Amino acid sequence: MYFPTYRPRRLRRTPALRELVRETELSVKDFIYPLFITFGTNIKKEISSMPGQFQLSLDKLDAEIEEILSLGIPAVILFGLPETKDEIASGAYHEEGIVQLAIRKIKELAPELLVVTDLCLCEYTDHGHCGIIRDGEVLNDITLEFLARAGVAQAEAGADIIAPSDMMDGRVGAIRAALDSEKFDHIPIMAYSAKYASSFYGPFREAAESTPSFGDRHSYQMDPANAMESLRETAMDIEEGADIIMVKPALSYLDIIAAVRAEFDYPLAAYNVSGEYSMIKAAAAKGWIDERKVALEALMSMKRAGADIILTYHAKDAARWLK
Ligand code: PBG
């Protein structure tokens, strides 16, 4: 492979040649689009740090779902903003909890659209942590019982995929056992396996109103300095019954996506998180970058690193751009 015998530019000369040898393809079929569902009526409130993303009340779902379907996006992931919060996250597992209501509504509107549910307590606890608190500590094993209840409530409402994002130890196993014992053995789990304690979640916490009222999430989410640990976390989730594994965030963690891809032959998702979206939006609004090109390049990099599935706020835009 030496110049001048080999000339890499030969295969880059025309669009047709480049397309012929392209290694990675981005498709709307890869995307899961996040939705923030709020209590109340007639609400479509833009999230200031995430231009183009909204908190939506149930009655605003019709138009939203129609648009998602028309763009060919195959799946949504739901986050809930309940009317009231308490220390045991009741809204997460109540039959009439906001996400359970949204699942039923979406399934009525579009039975073929995949409904993934983020499974966590932080949107429903008055302190904003992802678990039950005692003496300022996030308790692990007690939290598992609440997560399991929430998973069953979501499945009962009609969720297609349950996606635990809390990072308690043993949660995939606990949720799997609860689903199986309630006759939901056919419902897959997409585990946030390597989920880091990342500052790139900042805008999301405005969107989901889930900022912890004290402390931070470092006692349960992973240390951004660790790579090998992501393999242990992922191996555990697979042992406990995960069907799809996930790395989150995506852009600053492409090395983790590639490492997990190399080690495991399970479907792999990457979460292109809120801060990654907001940075592109902000720079584009200033005219510093080309939003379309930069967003598509970022999404492509996640696939190139090894992701099969991408959760992204850019899903609707990207679907239009890829048409
Ligand atoms: C809930 C959850 C979070 C995100 C997804 N699920 C926030 C957090 O862990 O603090 C972040 C998503 C994003 O930033 O886009 N635990």
Side-chain angles (χ1 to χ4, degrees):
M1 288 206 298
Y2 290 106
F3 175 83
T5 318
Y6 188 65
R7 290 177 180 268
R9 287 187 56 194
R10 279 183 203 130
L11 293 178
R12 295 184 199 139
R13 199 169 45 83
T14 68
L17 280 168
R18 291 195 291 274
E19 194 161 325
L20 188 70
V21 298
R22 187 159 295 141
E23 297 175 30
T24 311
E25 193 173 7
L26 196 58
S27 157
V28 65
K29 299 277 172 259
D30 307 325
F31 298 145
I32 300 179
Y33 183 60
L35 289 177
F36 298 98
I37 316 293
T38 181
F39 67 95
T41 49
N42 200 27
I43 298 168
K44 183 172 181 184
K45 184 177 166 220
E46 189 163 33
I47 299 149
S48 63
S49 56
M50 300 174 71
Q53 307 303 315
F54 298 84
Q55 295 176 345
L56 296 170
S57 53
L58 292 168
D59 56 306
K60 290 285 183 185
L61 275 174
D62 303 60
E64 182 69 28
I65 296 302
E66 199 181 303
E67 187 187 9
I68 289 166
L69 285 178
S70 74
L71 290 168
I73 296 169
V76 292
I77 181 164
L78 305 184
F79 297 94
L81 291 99
E83 186 161 14
T84 55
K85 306 190 183 204
D86 58 31
E87 59 180 1
I88 54 169
S90 305
Y93 42 84
H94 195 281
E95 215 183 286
E96 305 283 303
I98 186 70
V99 160
Q100 282 70 269
L101 295 175
I103 299 166
R104 289 194 195 94
K105 170 113 204 221
I106 295 172
K107 280 289 150 190
E108 252 166 54
L109 293 169
E112 71 277 29
L113 183 69
L114 286 172
V115 176
V116 184
T117 46
D118 181 88
L119 172 48
C120 195
L121 305 188
C122 62
E123 292 131 58
Y124 308 94
T125 50
D126 48 15
H127 46 70
H129 276 289
C130 304
I132 304 298
I133 302 268
R134 192 188 297 146
D135 301 329
E137 292 268 345
V138 178
L139 301 180
N140 194 86
D141 298 12
I142 289 171
T143 298
L144 300 184
E145 295 167 28
F146 290 89
L147 291 168
R149 279 176 72 178
V152 170
Q154 293 175 345
E156 268 166 357
D160 295 295
I161 302 177
I162 308 289
S165 68
D166 54 285
M167 289 303 277
M168 297 301 124
D169 296 336
R171 88 270 207 225
V172 173
I175 295 161
R176 184 72 272 159
L179 289 174
D180 291 355
S181 73
E182 299 291 332
K183 310 255 182 311
F184 293 113
D185 52 18
H186 59 292
I187 298 296
I189 294 177
M190 176 168 76
Y192 288 67
S193 302
K195 175 171 176 178
Y196 287 86
S198 171
S199 298
F200 286 96
Y201 307 154
F204 172 95
R205 294 185 189 161
E206 180 204 333
E209 298 175 8
S210 63
T211 309
S213 58
F214 66 91
D216 54 40
R217 302 210 200 289
H218 287 263
S219 80
Y220 40 105
Q221 297 179 349
M222 286 175 57
D223 185 337
N226 295 354
M228 290 182 295
E229 189 186 3
S230 69
L231 302 180
R232 297 200 294 276
E233 277 282 5
T234 306
M236 268 180 92
D237 285 359
I238 289 173
E239 290 267 303
E240 291 175 26
D243 301 280
I244 301 173
I245 52 182
M246 193 199 296
V247 172
K248 176 183 175 197
L251 269 189
S252 295
Y253 297 81
L254 293 173
D255 58 328
I256 307 298
I257 296 174
V260 169
R261 168 77 302 153
E263 187 87 4
F264 304 101
D265 58 0
Y266 278 65
L268 172 59
Y271 201 136
N272 176 211
V273 301
S274 55
E276 299 169 354
Y277 172 84
S278 302
M279 289 194 302
I280 291 179
K281 280 282 175 191
K286 287 202 165 248
W288 291 346
I289 58 170
D290 179 326
E291 179 180 3
R292 172 186 174 141
K293 289 183 178 158
V294 170
L296 288 175
E297 187 175 331
L299 292 167
M300 178 69 80
S301 75
M302 296 163 205
K303 281 212 82 179
R304 192 192 61 230
D308 304 301
I309 300 163
I310 304 173
L311 296 88
T312 180
Y313 304 97
H314 263 123
K316 291 202 290 187
D317 295 326
R320 283 189 198 95
W321 296 330
L322 291 169
K323 264 197 178 153

